[in-house]
Coordinates of all heavy atoms in Angstrom, one line a residue:
M1 N 0.8 -1.2 0.0 CA 0.0 0.0 0.0 C 0.9 1.2 0.0 O 1.8 1.4 0.8 CB -0.9 0.0 1.2 CG -2.0 1.0 1.2 SD -2.8 1.2 2.8 CE -4.3 0.2 2.5
A2 N 0.5 2.2 -0.9 CA 1.3 3.4 -0.9 C 1.1 4.3 0.3 O 0.1 4.4 0.9 CB 1.0 4.1 -2.2
E3 N 2.3 5.0 0.6 CA 2.2 6.0 1.7 C 1.3 7.2 1.3 O 1.3 7.5 0.1 CB 3.6 6.5 2.0 CG 4.0 6.2 3.4 CD 5.4 6.7 3.7 OE1 5.6 7.9 4.0 OE2 6.4 5.9 3.6
E4 N 0.6 7.7 2.3 CA -0.2 8.9 2.0 C 0.6 10.2 1.8 O 1.6 10.3 2.5 CB -1.2 9.1 3.1 CG -2.3 8.1 3.1 CD -3.5 8.4 3.9 OE1 -3.8 9.6 4.0 OE2 -4.2 7.6 4.4
E5 N 0.2 10.9 0.8 CA 1.0 12.2 0.6 C 0.6 13.2 1.8 O -0.5 13.3 2.2 CB 0.5 12.9 -0.7 CG 1.3 12.5 -1.9 CD 0.8 13.3 -3.1 OE1 0.6 14.5 -3.0 OE2 0.7 12.6 -4.2
P6 N 1.7 13.9 2.2 CA 1.4 14.9 3.3 C 0.5 16.1 2.6 O 0.7 16.3 1.5 CB 2.7 15.4 3.7 CG 3.6 15.0 2.5 CD 3.0 13.9 1.9
H7 N -0.3 16.6 3.4 CA -1.1 17.8 3.0 C -1.1 18.8 4.1 O -0.9 18.5 5.3 CB -2.4 17.4 2.5 CG -3.3 16.7 3.6 ND1 -4.0 17.5 4.5 CD2 -3.5 15.4 3.9 CE1 -4.6 16.6 5.3 NE2 -4.3 15.4 4.9
A8 N -1.5 20.0 3.7 CA -1.5 21.1 4.6 C -2.9 21.5 5.2 O -3.0 22.6 5.7 CB -0.9 22.3 4.0
I9 N -3.9 20.7 5.0 CA -5.2 20.9 5.4 C -5.4 20.3 6.8 O -5.0 19.2 7.1 CB -6.3 20.3 4.5 CG1 -6.1 20.9 3.1 CG2 -7.7 20.5 5.0 CD1 -6.3 22.3 3.0
R10 N -5.9 21.1 7.7 CA -6.2 20.7 9.2 C -7.6 20.7 9.4 O -8.3 21.7 9.1 CB -5.4 21.6 10.1 CG -3.9 21.6 10.0 CD -3.3 20.2 10.4 NE -2.1 20.0 9.8 CZ -1.8 19.1 8.9 NH1 -2.6 18.3 8.4 NH2 -0.5 19.0 8.4
I11 N -8.1 19.7 10.1 CA -9.5 19.5 10.5 C -9.6 19.8 12.0 O -8.9 19.2 12.8 CB -10.0 18.1 10.1 CG1 -9.8 17.8 8.7 CG2 -11.5 18.0 10.5 CD1 -10.6 18.7 7.7
H12 N -10.6 20.6 12.4 CA -10.7 21.0 13.8 C -12.0 20.5 14.4 O -12.6 21.2 15.2 CB -10.6 22.5 14.0 CG -9.4 23.1 13.3 ND1 -8.1 22.9 13.9 CD2 -9.2 23.8 12.2 CE1 -7.2 23.5 13.1 NE2 -7.8 24.0 12.0
L13 N -12.4 19.3 14.0 CA -13.6 18.7 14.5 C -13.6 18.5 16.0 O -14.7 18.7 16.7 CB -14.0 17.4 13.7 CG -15.4 16.8 13.9 CD1 -16.4 17.8 13.5 CD2 -15.5 15.6 13.0
D14 N -12.5 18.0 16.5 CA -12.4 17.8 18.0 C -12.7 19.0 18.7 O -13.5 19.0 19.7 CB -11.1 17.2 18.3 CG -10.9 15.8 18.2 OD1 -11.9 15.0 18.2 OD2 -9.7 15.2 18.1
R15 N -12.1 20.2 18.3 CA -12.3 21.4 19.0 C -13.8 21.9 19.0 O -14.3 22.2 20.0 CB -11.4 22.5 18.5 CG -11.5 23.8 19.2 CD -10.6 24.8 18.6 NE -10.5 25.0 17.1 CZ -11.4 25.6 16.4 NH1 -12.5 26.3 17.0 NH2 -11.4 25.6 15.1
L16 N -14.3 21.7 17.8 CA -15.8 22.2 17.6 C -16.7 21.4 18.5 O -17.6 21.9 19.1 CB -16.1 22.2 16.1 CG -15.4 23.3 15.3 CD1 -15.7 23.1 13.9 CD2 -15.9 24.7 15.7
L17 N -16.5 20.1 18.5 CA -17.3 19.2 19.3 C -17.2 19.5 20.8 O -18.2 19.6 21.5 CB -16.9 17.7 19.0 CG -17.4 17.1 17.7 CD1 -16.8 15.8 17.4 CD2 -18.9 17.1 17.5
A18 N -15.9 19.7 21.2 CA -15.7 20.1 22.6 C -16.3 21.3 23.0 O -17.0 21.4 24.1 CB -14.2 20.1 23.0
E19 N -16.3 22.3 22.1 CA -16.9 23.6 22.4 C -18.4 23.5 22.5 O -19.0 24.3 23.2 CB -16.5 24.6 21.3 CG -15.0 25.1 21.4 CD -14.6 25.9 20.1 OE1 -15.5 26.1 19.2 OE2 -13.5 26.4 20.2
R20 N -19.0 22.6 21.8 CA -20.4 22.5 21.8 C -20.9 21.3 22.7 O -22.1 21.1 22.8 CB -20.9 22.2 20.4 CG -20.8 23.5 19.6 CD -20.6 23.4 18.1 NE -20.5 24.6 17.4 CZ -19.4 25.4 17.3 NH1 -18.3 25.1 18.0 NH2 -19.5 26.4 16.7
G21 N -20.0 20.7 23.4 CA -20.4 19.7 24.3 C -21.1 18.5 23.6 O -22.0 17.9 24.2
M22 N -20.6 18.2 22.4 CA -21.2 17.1 21.6 C -20.2 16.0 21.4 O -19.0 16.2 21.2 CB -21.7 17.8 20.3 CG -22.4 16.9 19.4 SD -22.8 17.7 17.8 CE -24.2 18.7 18.4
T23 N -20.8 14.8 21.2 CA -19.9 13.6 20.9 C -19.9 13.4 19.4 O -20.8 13.9 18.7 CB -20.4 12.4 21.6 OG1 -21.7 12.0 21.2 CG2 -20.4 12.6 23.1
L24 N -19.0 12.6 18.9 CA -19.0 12.2 17.5 C -20.2 11.4 17.1 O -20.7 11.6 16.1 CB -17.7 11.4 17.2 CG -17.1 11.4 15.8 CD1 -16.9 12.7 15.4 CD2 -15.9 10.5 15.8
T25 N -20.7 10.7 18.1 CA -21.9 9.8 17.9 C -23.1 10.7 17.7 O -23.9 10.4 16.9 CB -22.1 8.8 19.1 OG1 -20.9 8.0 19.2 CG2 -23.3 8.0 18.8
E26 N -23.2 11.7 18.6 CA -24.3 12.7 18.4 C -24.3 13.4 17.1 O -25.3 13.6 16.4 CB -24.3 13.6 19.6 CG -24.7 13.1 20.9 CD -24.3 14.0 22.1 OE1 -23.5 14.8 22.0 OE2 -25.0 13.9 23.1
L27 N -23.1 13.8 16.7 CA -22.9 14.5 15.4 C -23.3 13.6 14.3 O -24.0 14.0 13.4 CB -21.5 15.0 15.3 CG -21.2 15.8 14.0 CD1 -22.1 17.0 13.9 CD2 -19.7 16.1 13.8
S28 N -22.9 12.3 14.3 CA -23.2 11.3 13.3 C -24.7 11.2 13.1 O -25.2 11.2 12.0 CB -22.6 10.0 13.7 OG -23.0 9.0 12.9
A29 N -25.4 11.0 14.2 CA -26.8 10.9 14.2 C -27.6 12.2 13.5 O -28.5 12.0 12.7 CB -27.4 10.7 15.6
Q30 N -27.0 13.3 13.9 CA -27.7 14.6 13.4 C -27.2 14.9 11.9 O -28.0 15.4 11.1 CB -27.3 15.7 14.3 CG -28.0 15.7 15.7 CD -27.6 16.9 16.5 OE1 -27.7 18.0 16.0 NE2 -27.4 16.6 17.8
V31 N -26.1 14.5 11.5 CA -25.6 14.8 10.2 C -26.0 13.7 9.2 O -26.2 14.0 8.0 CB -24.0 14.9 10.2 CG1 -23.5 15.0 8.7 CG2 -23.6 16.2 11.0
G32 N -26.1 12.4 9.7 CA -26.6 11.4 8.9 C -25.5 10.6 8.2 O -25.6 10.1 7.1
I33 N -24.2 10.7 8.7 CA -23.1 9.9 8.2 C -22.6 9.1 9.3 O -22.7 9.4 10.5 CB -22.0 10.7 7.5 CG1 -21.3 11.6 8.4 CG2 -22.6 11.5 6.3 CD1 -20.2 12.4 7.8
T34 N -21.9 8.0 9.0 CA -21.4 7.1 10.0 C -20.3 7.7 10.9 O -19.6 8.6 10.5 CB -20.9 5.8 9.4 OG1 -19.7 6.1 8.7 CG2 -21.8 5.1 8.5
V35 N -20.2 7.2 12.1 CA -19.3 7.5 13.1 C -17.8 7.3 12.4 O -16.9 8.1 12.6 CB -19.4 6.9 14.4 CG1 -18.2 7.1 15.3 CG2 -20.7 7.2 15.1
V36 N -17.8 6.1 11.8 CA -16.5 5.8 11.1 C -16.0 6.8 10.1 O -14.9 7.2 10.1 CB -16.6 4.4 10.5 CG1 -15.3 4.1 9.6 CG2 -16.9 3.3 11.4
N37 N -17.0 7.3 9.3 CA -16.6 8.3 8.3 C -16.3 9.6 9.0 O -15.3 10.3 8.6 CB -17.7 8.5 7.3 CG -17.7 7.4 6.3 OD1 -16.7 6.7 6.1 ND2 -18.9 7.1 5.7
L38 N -16.9 10.0 10.0 CA -16.6 11.2 10.8 C -15.3 11.0 11.4 O -14.5 12.0 11.5 CB -17.6 11.5 11.8 CG -18.9 12.2 11.3 CD1 -20.0 12.4 12.5 CD2 -18.6 13.6 10.7
S39 N -15.0 9.9 11.9 CA -13.6 9.6 12.6 C -12.6 9.7 11.6 O -11.5 10.3 11.9 CB -13.7 8.2 13.2 OG -12.5 7.9 13.8
V40 N -12.8 9.3 10.4 CA -11.7 9.4 9.3 C -11.5 10.9 9.0 O -10.4 11.3 9.0 CB -12.2 8.7 8.0 CG1 -11.4 9.1 6.8 CG2 -12.2 7.2 8.2
L41 N -12.5 11.7 9.1 CA -12.4 13.2 8.8 C -11.7 13.8 10.0 O -10.8 14.5 9.9 CB -13.7 13.8 8.6 CG -13.8 15.2 8.4 CD1 -13.1 15.7 7.2 CD2 -15.3 15.8 8.4
K42 N -12.1 13.4 11.2 CA -11.6 14.0 12.4 C -10.1 13.7 12.6 O -9.3 14.5 13.0 CB -12.3 13.4 13.7 CG -11.8 13.9 15.0 CD -12.7 13.3 16.1 CE -12.2 11.9 16.3 NZ -11.3 11.6 17.4
N43 N -9.7 12.5 12.2 CA -8.3 12.1 12.3 C -7.4 12.5 11.1 O -6.3 12.0 11.0 CB -8.2 10.6 12.6 CG -8.8 10.3 13.9 OD1 -8.4 11.0 15.0 ND2 -9.6 9.3 14.0
E44 N -7.9 13.3 10.2 CA -7.3 13.9 9.0 C -6.8 12.8 8.1 O -5.7 12.9 7.4 CB -6.1 14.8 9.5 CG -6.6 16.0 10.3 CD -5.5 17.0 10.7 OE1 -4.4 16.8 10.3 OE2 -5.9 18.0 11.2
R45 N -7.5 11.7 8.0 CA -7.3 10.7 7.1 C -8.2 10.7 5.8 O -8.0 10.0 4.9 CB -7.4 9.3 7.8 CG -6.3 9.0 8.8 CD -6.3 7.6 9.3 NE -7.6 7.0 9.5 CZ -8.3 7.0 10.6 NH1 -7.8 7.4 11.7 NH2 -9.5 6.4 10.7
A46 N -9.1 11.7 5.8 CA -9.9 11.8 4.6 C -9.3 12.4 3.5 O -8.4 13.3 3.7 CB -11.1 12.7 5.0
K47 N -9.6 11.9 2.3 CA -8.9 12.4 1.0 C -9.9 13.5 0.4 O -9.4 14.2 -0.5 CB -8.7 11.4 0.1 CG -7.6 10.4 0.6 CD -7.3 9.3 -0.3 CE -6.3 8.3 0.3 NZ -5.4 7.7 -0.6
A48 N -11.1 13.5 0.8 CA -12.0 14.4 0.2 C -13.3 14.5 1.1 O -13.4 13.7 2.1 CB -12.6 13.9 -1.1
I49 N -14.0 15.6 0.9 CA -15.3 15.8 1.7 C -16.3 16.3 0.7 O -16.0 17.2 -0.1 CB -15.2 16.6 3.0 CG1 -16.5 16.7 3.7 CG2 -14.7 18.0 2.6 CD1 -16.4 17.3 5.1
R50 N -17.5 15.8 0.7 CA -18.6 16.3 -0.1 C -19.1 17.6 0.4 O -19.2 17.8 1.6 CB -19.8 15.3 -0.2 CG -19.4 14.0 -0.9 CD -20.7 13.1 -0.7 NE -20.4 11.8 -1.3 CZ -20.8 11.3 -2.5 NH1 -21.5 12.1 -3.2 NH2 -20.5 10.1 -2.9
F51 N -19.4 18.5 -0.5 CA -20.0 19.8 0.0 C -21.3 19.6 0.7 O -21.6 20.3 1.7 CB -20.2 20.8 -1.2 CG -19.0 21.4 -1.8 CD1 -18.8 21.6 -3.1 CD2 -18.0 21.8 -0.9 CE1 -17.7 22.3 -3.6 CE2 -16.8 22.5 -1.4 CZ -16.6 22.7 -2.7
S52 N -22.0 18.6 0.4 CA -23.3 18.4 1.1 C -23.0 17.9 2.6 O -23.7 18.3 3.5 CB -24.1 17.3 0.4 OG -23.4 16.0 0.3
T53 N -21.9 17.1 2.7 CA -21.5 16.7 4.1 C -21.0 17.9 4.9 O -21.4 18.1 6.0 CB -20.4 15.6 4.0 OG1 -21.0 14.4 3.3 CG2 -20.0 15.1 5.4
L54 N -20.2 18.6 4.3 CA -19.6 19.9 4.9 C -20.7 20.8 5.3 O -20.7 21.4 6.4 CB -18.6 20.5 3.9 CG -17.9 21.8 4.4 CD1 -17.2 21.5 5.7 CD2 -17.1 22.4 3.3
S55 N -21.6 21.0 4.4 CA -22.8 21.9 4.7 C -23.6 21.4 5.9 O -23.9 22.2 6.8 CB -23.8 21.9 3.4 OG -23.1 22.5 2.4
R56 N -23.9 20.1 5.9 CA -24.6 19.5 7.0 C -23.8 19.6 8.4 O -24.4 20.0 9.4 CB -25.0 18.1 6.7 CG -26.0 17.5 7.7 CD -27.3 18.0 7.5 NE -28.2 17.3 8.4 CZ -28.9 18.0 9.4 NH1 -28.9 19.3 9.4 NH2 -29.6 17.3 10.3
I57 N -22.6 19.4 8.3 CA -21.7 19.5 9.6 C -21.8 21.0 10.1 O -22.0 21.2 11.2 CB -20.3 19.0 9.3 CG1 -20.1 17.5 9.1 CG2 -19.4 19.4 10.4 CD1 -18.8 17.0 8.6
C58 N -21.6 21.9 9.1 CA -21.7 23.3 9.5 C -23.0 23.7 10.1 O -23.1 24.4 11.0 CB -21.2 24.2 8.3 SG -19.5 24.1 7.9
E59 N -24.0 23.1 9.4 CA -25.4 23.5 10.0 C -25.6 22.9 11.3 O -26.0 23.7 12.2 CB -26.4 22.8 9.0 CG -27.9 23.0 9.5 CD -28.8 22.3 8.5 OE1 -28.4 21.8 7.4 OE2 -30.0 22.1 8.9
V60 N -25.2 21.7 11.6 CA -25.4 21.1 12.9 C -24.5 21.8 14.0 O -25.0 22.0 15.1 CB -25.1 19.5 12.9 CG1 -25.1 19.0 14.3 CG2 -26.2 18.9 12.0
L61 N -23.3 22.1 13.6 CA -22.3 22.6 14.6 C -22.4 24.2 14.6 O -21.6 24.8 15.4 CB -20.8 22.2 14.3 CG -20.5 20.8 14.4 CD1 -19.1 20.5 14.0 CD2 -20.8 20.3 15.9
R62 N -23.3 24.8 13.8 CA -23.5 26.2 13.7 C -22.1 26.9 13.6 O -21.7 27.8 14.4 CB -24.2 26.7 15.0 CG -25.6 26.2 15.1 CD -26.2 26.5 16.4 NE -25.4 26.4 17.6 CZ -25.2 25.3 18.3 NH1 -25.6 24.1 17.9 NH2 -24.4 25.3 19.4
C63 N -21.4 26.5 12.5 CA -20.1 27.1 12.2 C -19.9 27.4 10.7 O -20.8 27.0 9.9 CB -19.0 26.1 12.7 SG -18.8 24.6 11.7
Q64 N -18.9 28.0 10.4 CA -18.4 28.2 9.0 C -17.4 27.2 8.6 O -16.7 26.7 9.4 CB -17.8 29.6 8.9 CG -18.8 30.8 9.2 CD -19.9 30.8 8.1 OE1 -19.7 30.7 6.9 NE2 -21.2 30.9 8.5
P65 N -17.3 26.8 7.3 CA -16.3 25.9 6.8 C -14.9 26.2 7.3 O -14.1 25.3 7.7 CB -16.4 26.0 5.3 CG -17.8 26.4 5.0 CD -18.2 27.4 6.2
G66 N -14.5 27.6 7.4 CA -13.3 27.9 7.9 C -13.0 27.7 9.3 O -11.9 27.6 9.8
D67 N -14.1 27.4 10.1 CA -14.0 27.0 11.6 C -13.6 25.6 11.6 O -12.9 25.2 12.6 CB -15.3 27.2 12.3 CG -15.7 28.7 12.3 OD1 -14.9 29.6 12.3 OD2 -16.9 28.9 12.3
L68 N -14.0 24.8 10.6 CA -13.7 23.4 10.7 C -12.5 23.0 9.9 O -11.7 22.1 10.4 CB -14.9 22.6 10.0 CG -14.9 21.2 9.9 CD1 -14.9 20.5 11.2 CD2 -16.0 20.7 9.0
I69 N -12.1 23.7 8.8 CA -11.0 23.3 8.0 C -10.1 24.5 7.8 O -10.6 25.6 7.5 CB -11.5 22.9 6.6 CG1 -12.4 21.7 6.7 CG2 -10.3 22.6 5.6 CD1 -13.1 21.4 5.4
T70 N -8.8 24.4 8.0 CA -7.9 25.4 7.8 C -6.7 24.9 7.0 O -6.5 23.7 6.9 CB -7.3 26.1 9.1 OG1 -6.7 25.0 9.9 CG2 -8.5 26.8 9.9
Y71 N -6.0 25.8 6.4 CA -4.7 25.5 5.7 C -3.5 25.9 6.5 O -3.4 27.0 7.1 CB -4.7 26.3 4.4 CG -3.4 26.2 3.6 CD1 -3.1 25.0 2.9 CD2 -2.5 27.2 3.6 CE1 -1.9 24.9 2.2 CE2 -1.3 27.2 2.9 CZ -1.0 26.1 2.2 OH 0.1 25.9 1.5
D72 N -2.6 24.9 6.7 CA -1.4 25.2 7.4 C -0.2 25.2 6.4 O 0.3 24.2 5.9 CB -1.1 24.0 8.4 CG 0.1 24.0 9.2 OD1 0.9 25.1 9.0 OD2 0.3 23.1 10.0
G73 N 0.2 26.4 6.1 CA 1.2 26.7 5.1 C 2.6 26.2 5.6 O 3.6 26.2 4.8
S74 N 2.8 25.8 6.8 CA 4.1 25.4 7.4 C 4.5 23.9 6.9 O 5.6 23.5 7.1 CB 4.2 25.5 8.8 OG 3.3 24.6 9.4
V75 N 3.5 23.2 6.3 CA 3.8 21.9 5.9 C 4.5 21.9 4.6 O 4.0 22.5 3.6 CB 2.5 21.1 5.8 CG1 2.8 19.7 5.2 CG2 1.7 20.9 7.1
P76 N 5.7 21.2 4.5 CA 6.5 21.4 3.3 C 5.7 20.5 2.1 O 5.1 19.5 2.5 CB 7.8 20.7 3.6 CG 7.6 19.9 4.8 CD 6.4 20.5 5.5
P77 N 6.0 20.9 1.0 CA 5.3 20.2 -0.2 C 6.0 18.8 -0.4 O 7.2 18.7 0.0 CB 5.5 21.1 -1.5 CG 6.5 22.0 -1.1 CD 6.6 22.1 0.4
P78 N 5.3 17.9 -1.0 CA 6.0 16.5 -1.2 C 7.1 16.6 -2.1 O 7.3 17.5 -2.9 CB 4.7 15.7 -1.7 CG 3.7 16.6 -2.2 CD 3.9 17.9 -1.5

């Protein structure tokens, strides 16, 4: 299996969940995607996210996409 390419995108799902006193399981039920898929996103192993999923997460967490996803320019290119 090939090694994953490093990327400079950071996911802040843990912080947003903690700020809202919500668990991944609760978010999963409200967003309508599996805990496993949310865990992949939370642990920065996702290779993509659908805009419909991003929209639903932002709706449930009452946040903007930039609150959930940021770019870390300090990561060197591959």
Side-chain angles (χ1 to χ4, degrees):
M1 191 190 258
E3 237 181 85
E4 290 197 24
E5 268 186 45
H7 60 82
I9 301 300
R10 297 292 161 246
I11 305 295
H12 306 287
L13 192 53
D14 274 342
R15 178 179 49 82
L16 290 170
L17 288 171
E19 288 172 357
R20 284 148 180 84
M22 184 181 285
T23 67
L24 206 58
T25 302
E26 290 169 332
L27 181 63
S28 170
Q30 292 184 41
V31 171
I33 65 173
T34 68
V35 172
V36 171
N37 283 336
L38 279 177
S39 182
V40 167
L41 180 63
K42 179 180 75 95
N43 294 313
E44 299 184 358
R45 292 189 319 262
K47 295 183 185 212
I49 184 171
R50 292 176 187 258
F51 282 143
S52 58
T53 301
L54 179 59
S55 295
R56 189 73 181 121
I57 291 171
C58 287
E59 178 184 341
V60 170
L61 294 178
R62 299 172 315 280
C63 69
Q64 294 295 312
D67 298 328
L68 179 65
I69 301 170
T70 57
Y71 172 75
D72 178 2
S74 68
V75 175

